[in-house]
Amino acid sequence: MQPRYRESGVDIDAANLAMGRIGELVSGTWGSEVLSRVGNFGGLYAMPDGLESPVLVSSVDGVGTKLKVAFMADRHDTVGEDLVNHCINDILVQGAEPLFFLDYIACGKLHPDVIVDIVRGLSKGCRENGCALIGGETAEMPGFYAEGEYDLVGCVVGVVERKRIIDGSSIVPGDSVWAFPSNGLHTNGYSLARKILFEEQGLTVSDTLAGTASTVGEVLLAVHRSYLPEVRSMAGALTVKGLAHITGGGLLENIPRILPDGCAAEIDTTLWKAPPVFEYLEKYGRIERLEMFRVFNMGVGMVCVVGSEDDRTIGTGDYRWKPFRIGTIVPGERDVRLLGID
Amino acid sequence: MQPRYRESGVDIDAANLAMGRIGELVSGTWGSEVLSRVGNFGGLYAMPDGLESPVLVSSVDGVGTKLKVAFMADRHDTVGEDLVNHCINDILVQGAEPLFFLDYIACGKLHPDVIVDIVRGLSKGCRENGCALIGGETAEMPGFYAEGEYDLVGCVVGVVERKRIIDGSSIVPGDSVWAFPSNGLHTNGYSLARKILFEEQGLTVSDTLAGTASTVGEVLLAVHRSYLPEVRSMAGALTVKGLAHITGGGLLENIPRILPDGCAAEIDTTLWKAPPVFEYLEKYGRIERLEMFRVFNMGVGMVCVVGSEDDRTIGTGDYRWKPFRIGTIVPGERDVRLLGID
């Protein structure tokens, strides 16, 4: 008699094969703080010592429908990096340094090569951010996901000294709003972007995107940036009053998350130029400019609020991606006012 | 002009509505250790003090295709508990007490009532285990999930004093193997169980399951047990040498994860009777008995290894679910030998 479990669509042997191949990728992200072995039920991470009053900061997220672009391009080794960087930015904005990361991959049918590629991206992102990939689950769920598709979820845990938590509470009118540049959509607005590019304009991932020298696939799969080195670089030189990761909801919904009562942000949209993909989407998608700012990051991956006395320091620091000034904190009720929009 | 974002299938307002309603459920799990507000980018949890050498233990998991049964029964307030308890068991087996939990819910179209039900289950599970529901992501991913379906993922972080980590390393031949009873499939083997019950036998969730007084839906949705109180209860009274959470792979694949070199587990399958659902699946699914033990937990939710000198203590302790002895550690190579199988 044949085993019946495989017949029901779940292949334990294929899962075990993939597990073996990813073991090395995963353990390559481990330092001496990691006390676990691959195969442990839970991941073990020795709490760093030397902190006076440590606070754990955690976040969970997915890659969203950017995954659909990865499926179309059959390119699976970048979405893991997107996820790691996205999650790290989410705890970074509260001042936390990442400690470890866990992933969840769910698919209808497990293809070991695809899983290995996904984990390659995850482990690259973790290594580059000094974060241990400490746990993961690969779930084969027949009838849940279409053939060749998967979902990818990540959770990061970091730590910050309690008195160094960044929460925006010291922001006052007169402070400056700076932006670190994104390199594209990062991980937000893909449902709308795909509708415009693929359904309405009939493009494929291998077509060149007008206004760029890159293919649509390359532009859409550009890896979400981690701003960890940028924030570390600032931390020594100036006082970071608030940081906002510009994700779903754009500048309009993410900046208010860090504004204290009595403050608003006035953003002058004429001070920078968004990457060409945003212009393309606005024009060919016939999207109102205000909505562009609600759906997309519009070229801003992270917002940083500093006292105006730090304008010179932040502007002359040493960064991979140089920040630019986009506005000012004004009196108001935790809203964002966009200047330069008709 | 209508906003285009909603037209692409993503409804930010519906998401915001659900967020508002779940806020109270979520913050009801928070103690004074939680420093964050709903809406923060990351969840903030003050590290408990008083530990000499704390080790963080974490795990990520999904509910698997048990979700399909929840969809069929249109019952969404129990799968969250399944997930929390499953994750907590995974870190419990290394001796960790849970600190906080994060969830990820992904769906094709966001139905606020369903999301609220899911979060109700999550927060109930967290409250019962003294764990803070500190973060979550609700992702609307058009074209990813079928109408009315979703995936649900959770991540737990706990802590254990380094010298109290349970890792099975002290297990020696002659030790006793005990079992804490499961109340059904917990969260494993659902693809095969659904195939047998629904496809082959043509049952519905409202039919009574032969050999029980419950419906198929009730039996299949029975909530995965958390053994946290049981393990706490033992910890004060005896030395727990090893704990294995019996998940995918059953007794055959999970017990070896905690066995040191030179040890095997001899399990006498005649010493207990699995709940009726397993008998049904074995008989009507024509599954070989050995495979039953590889796919299902067979009535054992958690395995505990103790020195034989602790047999009396463990057998007479005060538990919600009384453990029973199922076997002995013998010399061997990290394998499991099942006695009483033809």
Side-chain angles (χ1 to χ4, degrees), chain B residues 74 102 274 299 335:
Chain B
D74 195 21
L102 304 98
D335 54 325

Side-chain angles (χ1 to χ4, degrees), chain A residues 225-237:
Chain A
R225 286 176 172 167
S226 157
Y227 298 98
L228 180 59
E230 282 62 39
V231 172
R232 279 182 183 157
S233 183
M234 285 193 296

Side-chain angles (χ1 to χ4, degrees), chain A:
Chain A
M1 197 193 286
Q2 278 295 306
R4 295 221 54 202
Y5 200 51
R6 182 170 309 184
E7 182 192 325
S8 73
V10 175
D11 188 343
I12 293 178
D13 293 334
N16 287 343
L17 181 68
M19 281 302 292
R21 289 168 62 189
I22 68 180
E24 199 172 322
L25 289 170
V26 169
S27 58
T29 68
W30 293 1
S32 58
E33 317 79 23
V34 177
L35 308 179
S36 41
R37 299 173 281 120
V38 173
N40 272 161
F41 285 93
L44 299 168
Y45 191 97
M47 186 69 192
D49 48 21
L51 289 157
E52 196 181 304
S53 184
V55 173
L56 299 174
V57 187
S58 54
S59 186
V60 66
D61 221 316
V63 183
T65 60
K66 186 171 191 170
L67 291 175
K68 288 268 189 192
V69 184
F71 305 154
M72 293 170 82
D74 195 22
R75 175 95 202 254
H76 310 285
D77 61 347
T78 58
V79 288
E81 259 188 285
D82 282 306
L83 183 62
V84 171
N85 291 347
H86 183 129
C87 287
I88 282 176
N89 287 342
D90 270 347
I91 63 165
L92 181 62
V93 293
Q94 294 177 300
E97 288 273 329
L99 299 175
F100 56 86
F101 188 91
L102 303 97
D103 72 280
Y104 168 90
I105 306 169
C107 53
K109 182 158 177 48
L110 201 148
H111 296 287
D113 289 342
V114 173
I115 304 295
V116 171
D117 274 352
I118 297 169
V119 176
R120 184 171 291 122
L122 291 166
S123 56
K124 180 167 182 238
C126 283
R127 275 197 319 276
E128 289 182 354
N129 288 285
C131 178
L133 180 52
I134 206 176
E137 170 70 11
T138 304
E140 194 169 22
M141 292 163 64
F144 244 84
Y145 295 91
E147 170 60 26
E149 301 206 347
Y150 52 83
D151 199 3
L152 176 59
V153 183
C155 180
V156 72
V157 176
V159 70
V160 60
E161 185 71 83
R162 185 157 183 168
K163 65 184 174 201
R164 294 191 183 280
I165 292 172
I166 299 173
D167 63 2
S169 57
S170 65
I171 293 173
V172 291
D175 286 345
S176 298
V177 183
W178 287 74
F180 286 95
S182 72
N183 62 358
L185 273 59
H186 279 187
T187 47
N188 285 101
Y190 277 84
S191 292
L192 181 52
R194 288 185 303 114
K195 187 177 163 87
I196 294 167
L197 292 164
F198 301 127
E199 283 182 38
E200 298 177 3
Q201 299 301 316
L203 296 170
T204 70
V205 285
S206 18
D207 288 325
T208 301
L209 183 69
T212 76
S214 308
T215 66
V216 172
E218 286 164 350
V219 168
L220 292 185
L221 289 178
V223 171
H224 195 131
R225 286 176 172 167
S226 157
Y227 298 98
L228 180 59
E230 282 62 39
V231 172
R232 279 182 183 157
S233 183
M234 285 193 296
L238 53 89
T239 302
V240 174
K241 293 186 159 198
L243 289 168
H245 184 198
I246 306 307
T247 57
L251 292 163
L252 287 172
E253 294 191 5
N254 286 293
I255 294 178
R257 295 166 76 174
I258 60 164
L259 293 178
D261 287 341
C263 288
E266 196 173 74
I267 306 296
D268 183 349
T269 64
T270 66
L271 291 177
W272 80 98
K273 199 168 148 56
V277 63
F278 297 107
E279 283 179 53
Y280 186 100
L281 292 168
E282 182 173 351
K283 179 175 169 192
Y284 290 95
R286 294 161 293 106
I287 304 173
E288 296 227 7
R289 193 146 173 79
L290 183 63
E291 195 181 6
M292 288 295 294
F293 278 87
R294 193 176 180 226
V295 178
F296 300 110
N297 68 57
M298 297 302 280
V300 177
M302 182 160 290
V303 158
C304 178
V305 180
V306 300
S308 57
E309 69 279 10
D310 280 326
D311 273 349
R312 173 183 290 266
T313 316
I314 192 174
T316 55
D318 184 29
Y319 308 101
R320 285 181 303 184
W321 306 303
K322 216 172 161 47
F324 46 92
R325 194 170 182 285
I326 60 170
T328 310
I329 301 297
V330 296
E333 287 316 312
R334 304 183 66 216
D335 54 325
V336 174
R337 299 161 197 173
L338 298 179
L339 307 183
I341 287 191
D342 312 326

Side-chain angles (χ1 to χ4, degrees), chain B:
Chain B
M1 197 194 285
Q2 278 296 305
R4 295 221 53 202
Y5 200 51
R6 183 171 307 184
E7 182 193 324
S8 73
V10 176
D11 187 343
I12 293 178
D13 293 334
N16 288 343
L17 181 68
M19 280 303 291
R21 291 168 62 189
I22 67 179
E24 201 171 319
L25 289 169
V26 169
S27 59
T29 67
W30 294 1
S32 58
E33 317 79 22
V34 177
L35 307 179
S36 41
R37 301 172 280 121
V38 174
N40 272 162
F41 286 92
L44 298 168
Y45 192 97
M47 185 69 193
D49 49 21
L51 289 158
E52 195 181 305
S53 184
V55 174
L56 299 174
V57 187
S58 54
S59 186
V60 65
D61 221 317
V63 184
T65 59
K66 186 171 191 170
L67 291 175
K68 288 269 187 192
V69 184
F71 305 154
M72 293 171 81
D74 195 21
R75 175 96 204 255
H76 309 285
D77 61 347
T78 58
V79 288
E81 260 188 284
D82 281 306
L83 183 61
V84 172
N85 291 346
H86 183 130
C87 287
I88 282 176
N89 288 342
D90 270 346
I91 63 166
L92 181 61
V93 293
Q94 295 178 299
E97 288 274 329
L99 299 175
F100 58 87
F101 187 90
L102 304 98
D103 73 281
Y104 168 90
I105 306 170
C107 54
K109 181 157 178 49
L110 200 149
H111 297 287
D113 290 342
V114 173
I115 304 295
V116 170
D117 274 352
I118 297 170
V119 176
R120 184 172 291 122
L122 291 166
S123 56
K124 180 166 183 241
C126 282
R127 276 197 319 277
E128 289 182 353
N129 288 285
C131 178
L133 181 51
I134 206 175
E137 169 71 11
T138 304
E140 194 169 22
M141 292 164 64
F144 244 85
Y145 295 91
E147 171 59 27
E149 301 206 347
Y150 52 84
D151 199 4
L152 176 59
V153 183
C155 179
V156 71
V157 176
V159 70
V160 59
E161 185 71 83
R162 186 157 181 166
K163 65 185 175 201
R164 293 189 183 280
I165 293 172
I166 299 173
D167 63 2
S169 57
S170 66
I171 292 173
V172 292
D175 286 346
S176 297
V177 182
W178 287 75
F180 285 95
S182 72
N183 62 357
L185 273 59
H186 279 187
T187 48
N188 285 99
Y190 278 84
S191 292
L192 180 53
R194 288 185 302 114
K195 186 176 163 89
I196 293 167
L197 291 164
F198 301 126
E199 283 183 39
E200 297 177 2
Q201 299 300 316
L203 296 170
T204 71
V205 284
S206 17
D207 289 324
T208 301
L209 183 70
T212 77
S214 309
T215 66
V216 172
E218 287 164 350
V219 168
L220 292 186
L221 289 178
V223 171
H224 195 131
R225 287 177 172 167
S226 157
Y227 298 98
L228 179 60
E230 282 62 38
V231 172
R232 280 182 183 155
S233 183
M234 284 193 297
L238 54 88
T239 302
V240 174
K241 292 187 159 198
L243 289 167
H245 184 199
I246 307 306
T247 57
L251 292 164
L252 286 173
E253 294 191 4
N254 286 293
I255 294 179
R257 296 166 74 174
I258 60 164
L259 294 178
D261 288 340
C263 288
E266 196 173 74
I267 306 296
D268 183 350
T269 64
T270 65
L271 290 176
W272 81 98
K273 199 168 147 57
V277 62
F278 297 108
E279 283 180 53
Y280 185 100
L281 293 169
E282 182 172 351
K283 179 175 168 191
Y284 291 95
R286 293 162 292 105
I287 303 173
E288 296 226 6
R289 196 147 171 77
L290 183 64
E291 195 180 5
M292 288 296 293
F293 278 87
R294 193 177 180 225
V295 178
F296 300 110
N297 68 57
M298 296 302 280
V300 177
M302 182 160 290
V303 158
C304 178
V305 179
V306 300
S308 57
E309 68 279 10
D310 280 327
D311 273 349
R312 173 182 291 265
T313 316
I314 192 174
T316 55
D318 184 27
Y319 307 100
R320 287 181 302 184
W321 305 304
K322 217 172 160 46
F324 46 92
R325 194 170 183 284
I326 59 169
T328 310
I329 300 297
V330 296
E333 287 316 314
R334 305 184 64 219
D335 54 325
V336 173
R337 299 162 197 173
L338 298 179
L339 307 183
I341 287 190
D342 311 327

